[in-house]
Each structure stands twice: as C-alpha cells, then as structure tokens.
C-alpha cells in the first residue's frame, strides 16, 4: 500500500467538534465533569509490526491494496505516527460493573484516532486498544498483551462472518515491548509480549456514556449526547417532535434483544456484560473473557472473576441485558415527561426477545417459524436433554441436520440416530444409556418435523445457515498463541481462513470440527479466562 492511501482518509471528527473536552494533551486526571473527552496521544512503541490484517475490515476505510508488516500502516495503527487530520482522544464514561455502580471509568486503554467518512458515506471510528495510558487509566499502563489482543481481533472477525452485529478489527500489531501482567491474580506477574488491536465501528458509544452524565447531574450534556447519537446513528428519529427519545430508546432495546438472541444462536458468551461494555448501537463490543459453549451448560461463564456467581453466564445474558437497559432507562429519565414512558421501551425488549428467540430456534431446527407453543415445548425439552450429560451443542445441531437427511433414505432406528450424533458426546462409555434423553427428544422432534412444509433439502439448508460448523473455541486460539511463541503461525492462518466460512463444511473448517480435547478442559486460556490483559 502506498502512503497516499492512508493520507487520503477523509476525517470528519464530529464527536470532538461537537462536545466539550480537555484539549491540553496531558496525561493528567482531567476535569471530571462538563467534558466528554480528553485529547490523548498514543505512547510510541519500539518496534511496530503488523501480525495480522483483515482485508474486509480494511475496505471500510477504503484500504484495499496489499500492506507491508513494518511500513506506514504499522506506524499509524500503533500510534507511532499521527496523520495530520487525526485527533486522538479518550472518552469519559461510567458504568455498572457486576451489578454495582463503579462511578467514572472512561477509555483506560483505548484511544480513538478520529472518524473517517468512507466512499460509501459511512462513518467509521478508528480506535487503538493498548496504545498507552489515558487520563482515565486509573493507575493502569494503558497497554495490552498479545494473548488478549489477538483474541479480540479473531473473535470480532469471527462474529462478523457469523452475521452477528459487532465492532470490527482492522489489525493486530506487535509493539516490540513487554507488558507486565498477573494473569492468574496470584501475585506472580510476568512479562508478556505487547500488542495493539486497531478496531473499527460506526461509534464506540456505550450505555455508560449516558449513565455518567445523569449520575453527575449534567443534564444538558446528556440531552446533547442523545441528540448527537440520534442524528449520527438513528437519523430516522431526528426530525420527530413527539416521543423522539422514547422511540430511540425503544429501538436500542430491540437491537439489544436481537443481539443477545444472536449470541445464543451460536453459543457465544460475552463474559463481562457491564453497562460500560454494551454498545448503544446494538453491537458486540469489548471482547474480554468471552467464550463459546464447548459443553452445553446455561450456567457456564468464561470469566474467572464471575465463576462464583455466574452473573454473566450463557443462560443469564438475556436477563442481564434487560437489567442493563433498566440502568440506561434510569439515565434517560431527565429527558422524559414521565419515567413510566421508558417502560414502553423495556417492554419492547422483552417482547422482541421472546418473539426472536422462537424464530431463531425454529430456524435452528429447520422450520421457517414454529407455532410458539410447539417451539417453547421443544426448546424446554431440548434444554433438559442437552444438560443430561456433557454434550457439544455446535456438533449436535449440525449432526441433527444429518439425521433429518437420513429420513429420506431409510427408516430411522435408535441405533442409526445414535451413530449419527455420537460425536457430540464427551463421554463415550455406555453411550446407548447416556444418550437416551437426547434420542427420546429427537424421536419426538422427528414426528413434528414430518409436518414441516419445507422439503428435507430446504430444511437442512436452513439449519446449516443458522447453526455454525466452525466456532472460535478458546483452546484453538490458545494453540495459535503457543505456536506463535515459537515463530509458527500455521494455526493462526488456518483459524483466519476457517472463521471466514463458519457455516460451511469444507477442507478448512473440517480440521476444527471436533470436541474440545480433555487436555484443554482446565488449562489456562482454553476455557475460562481472567479479565487481566
């Protein structure tokens, strides 16, 4: 890529031009009120080098030519070189963390370089994660390590190809510097390779940006921020004179509901659904201690900090999203005629989630849309069957499609069904007995499936377009990290190829279509993860 590609980026920087901020470019605590951002320059690194680059994310910035690993791209996307039209800044926000108000937080290790308007007239905010301290770092160093940076890069791209709303990752860049982290919180910090993730989104505004303004009584700034958000990202509501804020909040609730349904469809667990980690645009944001269900267990959380209470477990994500929206509603009360109005938006979350979860499971089971009462019973019974022993849900749903395909050829027996689904069981001993609950469910399901108006081929096509064949299991990323430590990037490159076709069974994805190995069950980085990065 020539230098001119980056230099031709069309920066708008509407956020810093609209709102009050601290423009001193000093790493001081800054004013705690009446500002929304602090000018913040990234801290240079010793040896910037691009480890991996997303070509499709690059297209959002109209960067389509090949890059060099240590050229201008590496310098710009580590913060070593600031382009003339860039305006680096960190934003101020608050949040509820693990159910408690944490007060002012802010971008502690995220620095936005500015907003670009691309050739499709889309606004794209460029943000560096791990580029050094900000006024909101709270005694932190503002850096990130390779293990967390690469995990964020890969997962955000995996979610994009799974068709789930998400921030994007442009590149993961090595810094050449070490970062000290206590991964296990056991008093044994170690030096790890530093890295920076360059991530992209229409905006990184989160619930906490609004919460902090109400908490500190900055109601005019709150109104200005909501008006800005509507104008920039919800323009269909900007010219309304009646119920504008309520309609916007309702849309936020509905987007959030659909997002959580999408997470549940693919077995994704965010892991740290604090209000400062939920996007006001309904995007998946902040990939920290996330995880994918290797074993179907609604109470499972990938976050070691949350292991005791499982607040952010797979099965609790819908409830937590609603709870977070109630906190956003409380923050928006000063803009409403009555607080009761916001209940309309919160009710729409529940209604949207309930209807979308039925539609989602219907498609996972090969139906365009099952009647609610039939779908609810199927879901409830399947949930119990999948929890009867350790079962891999990703493999189960793909093999269920193959069971349906078998109905075209032969009359199914329990033995044939068992043979088809045996790959999803972690315990293989005494399998005929262990598999009885799930086989019983499948037999009941097949009786309902007979009435499906779709042909078998259409059913399985629908199922396989909603049930991924490949998911980015934590142990796979851990293997890639361990290989990288020895200069081997074979696993990394294979994962990058596989995540681009997650619903396809092909030569790339087949390599990863297997249960989590026993050695990875309790190994650090392979199942549960800490917030340390």
């Amino acid at each position: 890529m020539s230098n001119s590609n980056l230099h031709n980026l069309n920066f708008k920087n509407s956020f810093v031009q609209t709102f009050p901020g601290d423009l001193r470019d000093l790493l001081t605590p800054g004013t705690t009120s009446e500002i929304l951002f602090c000018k913040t320059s990234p801290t240079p690194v010793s040896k910037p080098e691009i480890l991996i680059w997303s070509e499709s994310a690059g297209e959002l910035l109209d960067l389509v030519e090949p890059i060099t690993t240590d050229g201008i791209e590496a310098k710009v996307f580590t913060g070593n070189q600031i382009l003339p039209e860039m305006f680096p800044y960190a934003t101020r926000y608050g949040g509820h963390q693990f159910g408690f108000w944490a007060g002012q937080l802010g971008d502690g290790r995220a620095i936005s370089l500015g907003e670009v308007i691309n050739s499709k007239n889309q606004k794209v905010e460029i943000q560096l994660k791990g580029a050094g301290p900000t006024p909101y770092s709270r005694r932190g160093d503002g850096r990130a390590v390779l293990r967390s940076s690469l995990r964020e890069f890969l997962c955000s791209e995996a979610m994009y190809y799974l068709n789930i709303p998400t921030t994007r990752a442009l590149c993961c860049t090595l810094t050449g510097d070490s970062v000290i982290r206590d991964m296990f919180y056991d008093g044994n910090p170690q030096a790890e390779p530093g890295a920076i993730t360059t991530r992209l989104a229409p905006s990184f505004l989160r619930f906490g940006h609004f919460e902090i303004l109400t908490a500190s009584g900055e109601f005019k700034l709150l109104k200005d921020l909501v008006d800005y958000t509507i104008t920039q990202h919800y323009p269909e509501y900007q010219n309304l004179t009646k119920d504008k804020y309520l309609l916007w909040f309702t849309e936020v609730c509905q987007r959030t509901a659909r997002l959580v349904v999408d997470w549940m469809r693919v077995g994704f667990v965010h892991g740290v659904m604090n209000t400062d980690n939920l996007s006001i645009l309904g995007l998946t944001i902040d990939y920290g201690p996330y995880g994918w269900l290797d074993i179907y267990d609604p109470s499972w959380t990938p976050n070691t900090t949350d292991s005791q209470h499982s607040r952010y477990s797979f099965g609790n994500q819908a409830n937590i999203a609603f709870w977070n929206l109630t906190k956003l509603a409380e923050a928006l009360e000063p803009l409403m005629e009555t607080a009761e109005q916001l209940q309309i938006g919160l009710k729409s979350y529940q209604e949207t989630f309930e209807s979308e979860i039925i539609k989602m499971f219907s498609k996972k089971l090969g139906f365009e849309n099952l009647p609610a009462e039939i779908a609810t019973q199927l879901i409830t019974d399947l949930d119990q069957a999948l929890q009867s022993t350790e079962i891999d849900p990703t493999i189960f749903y793909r093999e269920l499609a193959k069971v349906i395909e078998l109905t075209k050829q032969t009359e199914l027996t329990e033995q044939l069904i068992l043979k088809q689904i045996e790959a999803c069981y972690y315990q293989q001993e005494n399998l005929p007995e262990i598999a009885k609950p799930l086989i019983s469910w499948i037999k009941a399901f097949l009786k309902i499936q007979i009435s499906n108006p779709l042909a078998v081929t259409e059913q399985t096509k629908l199922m396989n377009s909603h049930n991924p064949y490949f998911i980015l299991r934590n142990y796979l990323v851990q293997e890639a990290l361990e290989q990288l430590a020895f200069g081997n990037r074979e696993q990394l490159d294979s994962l990058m190829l596989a995540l681009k076709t997650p619903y396809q069974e092909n030569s790339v994805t087949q390599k990863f279509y297997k249960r989590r190995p026993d050695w990875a069950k309790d190994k650090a980085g392979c199942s549960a993860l800490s917030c340390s990065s």
Side-chain angles (χ1 to χ4, degrees):
M1 183 190 303
S2 64
N3 291 9
S4 60
N5 286 67
L6 284 173
H7 285 290
N8 287 339
L9 293 178
N10 179 21
F11 282 92
K12 184 179 181 181
N13 297 333
S14 64
F15 188 84
V16 297
Q17 293 172 5
T18 302
F19 296 108
D22 189 333
L23 306 180
R24 293 175 295 173
D25 198 15
L26 298 174
L27 290 180
T28 59
T31 308
T32 58
S33 62
E34 304 303 331
I35 66 168
L36 286 185
F37 70 90
C38 291
K39 186 179 180 184
T40 306
S41 294
T43 305
V45 301
S46 62
K47 189 180 179 182
E49 179 183 353
I50 292 176
L51 173 66
I52 192 164
W53 176 277
S54 169
E55 294 180 357
S56 65
E59 292 175 0
L60 291 171
L61 300 177
D62 302 317
L63 303 177
V64 295
E65 296 182 22
I67 65 160
T68 55
T69 59
D70 58 355
I72 186 174
E73 298 86 7
K75 295 181 179 67
V76 169
F77 296 122
T78 52
N80 273 28
Q81 181 174 338
I82 302 299
L83 300 179
E85 291 186 279
M86 286 179 172
F87 187 99
Y89 64 96
T91 63
R92 167 187 173 229
Y93 55 80
H96 282 83
Q97 299 188 331
F98 295 94
F100 299 96
W101 176 242
Q104 180 171 294
L105 300 167
D107 290 321
R109 57 194 176 106
I111 300 174
S112 292
L113 297 178
E115 306 154 15
V116 169
I117 305 300
N118 66 19
S119 58
K120 297 179 180 179
N121 203 33
Q122 299 168 324
K123 187 172 78 168
V124 184
E125 184 176 340
I126 306 173
Q127 190 174 86
L128 305 181
K129 186 174 181 179
T134 79
Y136 307 106
S137 292
R138 303 183 301 282
R139 298 182 302 279
D141 59 16
R143 291 301 187 186
V145 296
L146 176 59
R147 58 181 163 87
S148 63
S149 299
L150 186 59
R151 289 181 75 257
E152 172 150 7
F153 175 91
L154 290 172
C155 196
S156 58
E157 292 306 277
M159 295 288 269
Y160 168 75
Y161 287 104
L162 284 164
N163 302 316
I164 296 175
T166 181
T167 57
R168 297 296 304 276
L170 177 64
C171 57
C172 178
T173 311
L174 303 174
T175 64
D177 302 318
S178 294
V179 177
I180 305 298
R181 288 291 183 270
D182 187 351
M183 179 178 178
F184 302 105
Y185 300 120
D186 60 1
N188 293 296
Q190 296 182 4
E192 299 186 48
I196 294 172
T197 306
T198 302
R199 52 189 191 178
L200 312 175
S203 172
F204 288 93
L205 284 171
R206 54 211 57 221
F207 291 7
H209 280 101
F210 304 86
E211 287 184 284
I212 191 64
L213 298 179
T214 299
S216 55
E218 299 168 74
F219 302 129
K220 181 184 182 303
L221 201 49
L222 172 69
K223 181 180 184 300
D224 291 344
L225 181 59
V226 172
D227 287 340
Y228 170 87
T229 304
I230 291 173
T231 299
Q232 294 289 322
H233 305 291
Y234 295 83
E236 63 271 29
Y237 302 121
Q238 66 177 331
N239 294 322
L240 298 181
T241 56
K242 181 177 175 57
D243 295 332
K244 175 170 69 172
Y245 299 137
L246 174 58
L247 291 170
W248 165 73
F249 175 66
T250 300
E251 175 70 17
V252 173
C253 290
Q254 292 170 349
R255 288 192 188 189
T256 304
R258 289 191 289 268
L259 178 66
V260 175
V261 169
D262 261 336
W263 289 354
M264 297 185 72
R265 175 174 63 83
V266 300
F268 176 77
V269 192
H270 185 279
V272 59
M273 289 176 65
N274 297 325
T275 59
D276 55 297
N277 290 337
L278 258 68
S279 162
I280 202 67
L281 302 186
L283 306 175
T284 314
I285 192 172
D286 287 345
Y287 293 93
Y290 66 79
W292 304 79
L293 290 180
D294 293 314
I295 294 170
Y296 184 76
D297 178 5
S299 67
W300 180 74
T301 173
N303 189 343
T304 56
T305 308
D306 193 31
S307 59
Q308 183 177 358
H309 301 290
S310 295
R311 176 180 175 84
Y312 298 140
S313 64
F314 173 75
N316 207 31
Q317 293 183 119
N319 293 332
I320 292 300
F322 179 78
W323 190 91
N324 288 346
L325 285 164
T326 66
K327 296 306 170 185
L328 177 61
E330 291 171 7
L332 298 176
E333 281 185 20
L335 304 183
M336 311 303 294
E337 292 181 7
T338 65
E340 287 70 25
Q341 283 183 293
L342 292 161
Q343 294 301 318
I344 296 173
L346 293 173
K347 184 179 180 182
S348 78
Y349 169 86
Q350 295 172 314
E351 293 173 344
T352 300
F353 182 83
E354 290 170 4
S355 63
E356 291 297 322
I357 202 78
I358 295 296
K359 293 177 185 177
M360 179 269 282
F361 270 106
S362 295
K363 290 179 171 58
K364 283 178 75 70
L365 298 177
F367 289 81
E368 284 291 355
N369 201 9
L370 280 164
E373 63 276 10
I374 295 176
T376 300
Q377 190 62 55
L378 274 174
I379 293 168
T380 300
D381 294 345
L382 178 57
D383 183 83
Q384 294 175 356
L386 289 175
Q387 290 189 69
S388 63
T389 187
E390 293 187 340
I391 296 173
D392 188 299
T394 301
I395 295 176
F396 165 72
Y397 280 108
R398 294 295 295 211
E399 296 306 312
L400 181 62
K402 294 177 182 178
V403 170
I404 294 176
E405 288 177 348
L406 287 174
T407 62
K408 293 190 304 182
Q409 307 166 13
T410 184
E411 183 176 345
L412 290 181
T413 63
E414 288 191 7
Q415 290 76 16
L416 285 174
I417 295 174
L418 178 60
K419 183 178 180 181
Q420 191 63 62
I421 66 171
E422 64 181 353
C424 73
Y425 283 90
Y426 278 81
Q427 183 179 336
Q428 294 288 305
E429 295 180 7
N430 197 24
L431 196 54
E433 185 66 26
I434 293 173
K436 280 184 178 180
L438 193 52
I439 290 177
S440 177
W441 180 88
I442 291 174
K443 291 167 67 177
F445 165 69
L446 290 175
K447 291 179 182 179
I448 297 173
Q449 184 266 338
I450 292 174
S451 63
N452 194 332
L454 297 178
V456 169
T457 301
E458 293 174 319
Q459 292 176 46
T460 56
K461 183 179 179 180
L462 180 63
M463 294 174 73
N464 290 339
S465 67
H466 287 77
N467 297 314
Y469 186 82
F470 169 85
I471 57 172
L472 190 72
R473 301 176 190 265
N474 280 340
Y475 87 88
L476 296 175
V477 180
Q478 183 62 29
E479 285 182 322
L481 286 164
E482 291 174 359
Q483 289 184 13
L484 281 172
F486 293 96
N488 180 357
R489 59 178 298 148
E490 179 181 355
Q491 174 92 339
L492 173 59
D493 293 335
S494 294
L495 289 177
M496 195 61 188
L497 286 174
L499 64 81
K500 292 179 179 180
T501 56
Y503 297 103
Q504 297 179 22
E505 181 177 352
N506 54 43
S507 59
V508 177
T509 57
Q510 283 176 344
K511 176 181 177 181
F512 303 112
Y513 187 69
K514 54 189 176 183
R515 300 183 302 272
R516 183 192 65 200
D518 288 342
W519 60 260
K521 184 175 182 179
D522 299 310
K523 183 177 178 179
C526 295
S527 179
L529 301 114
S530 74
C531 292
S532 172
S533 58

